Amino acid sequence: MLEVSGIGVTYGATRAVTNVSLTVDRGAIVSLIGSNGAGKTTTLKAIIGLARNQRGEIRLDGRRIDHLAAPERVGLGLALSPEGRRVFPQMSVLDNLLVGAYLRRDGRGAHADLERIFAYFPRLRERREQVAGSLSGGEQQMLAIGRALMAKPQFLLLDEPSLGLAPIIVDEIERIIREINTDMKVAIVLVEQNANLALRLSDHAYVLEMGSTTLDGTGAELLASDYVRRAYLGV
Ligand code: ATP
């Protein structure tokens, strides 16, 4: 279980996150919805170790991890697919995927996972020798997810996977997130501005407002909440 308890993150004088708490059970899909600048990306960065929480605690199966460097957290089973995809544009699709496995010692396991990822994303297999910068936005998103999966995570952090993608590609990403969760038994922490998509997918969801988690419930409960509908679903 991944537990974030009352974390706060400041960048210089900016308080990006003031009080965020959330729990992610193994195998669950949990999402974090909120407007621009609410602190969603910073929360994921704090979980993976790319931002430091000055207050609060982050625990994995009861063990405190918030003092560990990012690679150590990856070694413990966390991986991030960052906002804006951030693939290495000059490198081939295959090399981008292999970078995701660089901390692994089980070469054979990594090879099997590569095959599995190609099975989820046939377009990545077709384009494996192509440089990543020449892929479409949707393909780059798939590559970023595939690269994170190559670390063999138990908790996959997905930052805005639907951002800037055409509706038909968003449907495909939604299907892939469900498949990764059910077939690979990977828990997902999903950050999305597309609240509809996030709540449809989620076992549990949190609303983040001005750096604090203010409301939570099952995906279905939040989809039915008048407040969430008005503030985040444009109903
Ligand atoms: P978005 O969806 O727009 O990325 P978000 O909910 O993910 O929004 P964050 O990116 O976490 O929000 O940003 C939270 C606040 O922290 C914002 O006010 C942002 O300007 C600020 N912030 C984020 N990163 C930094 C940084 N590296 N230095 C200074 N301020 C930052």
Side-chain angles (χ1 to χ4, degrees), residues 11 14-16 35-43 83 160 193:
Y11 296 109
T14 310
R15 296 176 76 185
S35 10
N36 262 328
K40 305 182 297 296
T41 295
T42 303
T43 298
E83 182 173 16
E160 302 274 9
Q193 280 191 40

